[in-house]
Amino acid sequence: MFIEPRVGTSRDLPRRGWIEVVCGSMFSGKTEELIRRLNRAKIARQRVEIFKPALDKRYHELDVVSHNANSIRSTPVALAQEILLLASGCDVVGIDEAQFFDESLVEVCSQLANRGTRVIVAGLDMDYTGKPFGPMPALMAVAEFVTKVHAVCVCCGELAAYSFRIAASEDKILLGETDSYEARCRPCFLEGMKEKNPESVRAAAKH
Ligand code: ADP
Ligand code: MG
């Protein structure tokens, strides 16, 4: 449970910005947690805007929707820089699926926070091969608050930090649901990778 350092804006306090990152594997509850924080900000009568990359149209063009069907209205953007203009006048900016933006998202989030906006970024910290994903590692470095959430491993029931791709595609970006990905813990992820490609796992074990 994340308790906001400051939910409302008291008139006697100067406006302060900061960055929160919510990261983890697929199905770990990132979007759920993002929606929860944004709804609380709305209750505090904050002006809230939510952005997502235009390429993520899995469930709905305009809504951010979690796997348990929670949703919140959002604005799809092609480039991270668009957020700077569109977010003027906001107290709180939410960004979902942040891993799909390029590195410029780090500068965009920093600028928003510097001008007094609370920025909440949710995204996959690792891709389906277990490598850090897009701008997420740098965002985690510059954020004031980082929350790593976990899914449940579908193989053994332990906490899962990996998104295992069951579909055959090797594209870095493959939008999908439970038909394409499974949440897995480290041993079950490695087991699956070994079955897929024994050589790649031997090489990864050396690092
Ligand atoms: P994320 O944005 O991290 O992909 P969501 O917030 O959209 O995740 O969805 C989280 C929800 O996904 C959970 O509340 C649960 O209902 C569902 N879910 C499906 N598979 C799993 C799993 N393996 N572990 C945990 N939750 C799962
Ligand atoms: Mg999500």
Side-chain angles (χ1 to χ4, degrees):
M1 175 77 66
F2 180 84
I3 308 292
E4 295 82 350
R6 190 192 261 175
V7 180
T9 24
S10 315
R11 298 210 188 289
D12 52 336
L13 291 172
R15 218 163 87 107
R16 272 172 172 266
W18 64 84
I19 301 173
E20 297 161 34
V21 169
V22 180
C23 64
S25 68
M26 287 190 69
F27 312 108
S28 59
K30 302 179 300 296
T31 300
E32 239 168 52
E33 178 60 15
L34 176 68
I35 292 173
R36 188 186 71 84
R37 292 185 193 183
L38 294 169
N39 279 336
R40 284 167 62 83
K42 283 186 182 170
I43 292 168
R45 297 205 186 84
Q46 301 262 290
R47 287 159 300 174
V48 174
E49 284 290 342
I50 306 105
F51 300 94
K52 64 176 188 178
L55 66 88
D56 183 23
K57 292 180 180 161
R58 266 176 301 183
Y59 306 94
H60 198 283
E61 295 251 346
L62 293 179
D63 287 356
V64 161
V65 186
S66 74
H67 291 111
N68 64 357
N70 266 337
S71 71
I72 198 162
R73 189 41 53 117
S74 74
T75 305
V77 289
L79 297 170
Q81 280 85 351
E82 293 173 41
I83 299 174
L84 277 179
L85 287 177
L86 294 168
S88 64
C90 289
D91 302 303
V92 184
V93 166
I95 301 168
D96 201 15
E97 302 291 356
Q99 75 279 353
F100 292 144
F101 287 105
D102 67 14
E103 291 290 329
S104 65
L105 183 65
V106 184
E107 182 56 29
V108 167
C109 290
S110 297
Q111 281 192 35
L112 286 169
N114 294 349
R115 73 187 193 200
T117 310
R118 174 183 173 197
V119 186
I120 315 174
V121 191
L124 286 168
D125 44 14
M126 288 186 275
D127 65 16
Y128 79 102
T129 70
K131 300 273 182 324
F133 208 150
M136 291 302 289
L139 283 165
M140 288 156 79
V142 300
E144 275 87 347
F145 306 98
V146 178
T147 307
K148 182 144 176 161
V149 285
H150 296 87
V152 175
C153 176
V154 296
C155 302
C156 72
E158 288 292 329
L159 289 184
Y162 291 88
S163 310
F164 180 71
R165 184 180 284 178
I166 40 186
S169 163
E170 290 192 359
D171 295 345
K172 178 142 175 152
I173 298 176
L174 170 71
L175 296 180
E177 260 296 299
T178 43
D179 55 335
S180 316
Y181 294 96
E182 284 176 356
R184 291 200 182 190
C185 68
R186 184 185 292 270
C188 295
F189 174 77
L190 288 174
E191 198 52 44
M193 294 298 268
K194 203 155 50 182
E195 280 164 20
K196 266 189 182 173
N197 181 356
E199 272 312 307
S200 72
V201 175
R202 237 170 270 138
K206 285 187 191 150
H207 290 292

